[in-house]
Amino acid sequence: MASYTPPAGFRFQPEEEDLVLFYLRPKAAGQPLPFPDVIFEYDDLYGEKEPCVIWDMYAGPSVDETLDDLYFFTKLKWLSDSRVDRRAGSGGTWANESSKIIYARGTRVPIAKKRKFRYVNPGSSQDGAWIMQEYSLPITKAQPDVGSSSSSSSSSYVVCRLRKNNRPDSDSSESESPPPISSRERKDQAEKMKRLINLLKRKREQRTKRYS
């Protein structure tokens, strides 16, 4: 089993939009990835193994569970057109805590949906010990292949970020992304910047004439 051993000083900490556009979308389309070794492919992430077992399988010696996350490509196991099987381990499941839409930067175009899960397994020492964030592409044309995780639809492919639940969540606000600025606001900002540049240019010219 290959484990993740990053170079010294390197941590894979992509922005959400970059994770979707440069990794999940190409993966779903069968295209090459910029850095294929930083995200593992594990089809049974929602399966029989506990999160701690999966972590131990893939975390290399240089991975710090108090600082690092592990990333996985996996396929959803559809129970129906709208329900996904997220059972994991022996009697455990991933409980949905929140969700939000990810928009392309500076637009209102949705590019993915993010769901945050907490591992729930009452009576287990692992109950509540793990957090997972799941990013999925919008469902467009093909419907998911119910009862299978091998659908050709891109809606079945997701990228997940697994972390130990022992540190503050850097994404504490799970509300919908605020609407981006309008084209009018961007135009006004550009005009203000233009006036500022012209003002600085005139002051520089005046200063040059004064000392010439």
Side-chain angles (χ1 to χ4, degrees), residues 157-196:
Y157 244 124
V158 296
V159 61
C160 296
R161 172 166 37 200
L162 180 65
R163 65 170 47 170
K164 185 78 171 176
N165 190 18
N166 58 3
R167 64 187 191 272
D169 193 340
S170 60
D171 189 12
S172 57
S173 174
E174 296 292 332
S175 59
E176 296 290 323
S177 300
I181 61 174
S182 65
S183 57
R184 175 65 179 273
E185 290 172 321
R186 286 197 296 271
K187 185 177 179 180
D188 290 343
Q189 289 180 357
E191 288 295 331
K192 290 179 181 178
M193 182 62 68
K194 185 177 180 180
R195 289 196 295 269
L196 178 60

Side-chain angles (χ1 to χ4, degrees), residues 6-142:
F10 173 81
R11 280 196 173 91
F12 183 60
Q13 296 177 328
E15 296 289 335
E16 292 180 330
E17 183 186 22
D18 297 333
L19 184 62
V20 172
L21 296 182
F22 297 109
Y23 290 92
L24 178 57
R25 186 177 287 180
K27 182 66 176 179
Q31 299 172 350
L33 305 179
F35 298 99
D37 295 333
V38 296
I39 302 181
F40 300 108
E41 185 159 358
Y42 184 57
D43 289 339
D44 208 28
L45 193 60
Y46 298 112
E48 298 179 353
K49 289 184 171 59
E50 299 278 345
C52 60
V53 175
I54 297 174
W55 182 275
D56 290 341
M57 288 166 55
Y58 287 94
S62 61
V63 174
D64 185 346
E65 69 176 22
T66 65
L67 296 173
D68 295 312
D69 303 326
L70 292 184
Y71 293 80
F72 296 91
F73 288 121
T74 193
K75 286 191 174 183
L76 300 180
K77 299 177 180 179
W78 294 93
L79 298 175
S80 69
D81 288 350
S82 59
R83 294 176 57 240
V84 174
D85 185 0
R86 290 193 174 87
R87 289 174 292 182
S90 177
T93 188
W94 289 102
N96 192 0
E97 291 196 327
S98 59
S99 63
K100 73 173 186 178
I101 302 298
I102 306 297
Y103 295 93
R105 192 173 292 116
T107 75
R108 295 179 182 270
V109 179
I111 59 172
K113 185 167 186 176
K114 174 186 176 181
R115 296 175 176 87
K116 179 183 175 183
F117 299 96
R118 179 172 52 89
Y119 183 64
V120 175
N121 194 345
S124 168
S125 61
Q126 298 299 312
D127 183 39
W130 298 91
I131 295 294
M132 186 162 65
Q133 297 165 348
E134 176 194 280
Y135 298 84
S136 58
L137 297 175
I139 297 178
T140 53
K141 297 180 181 179

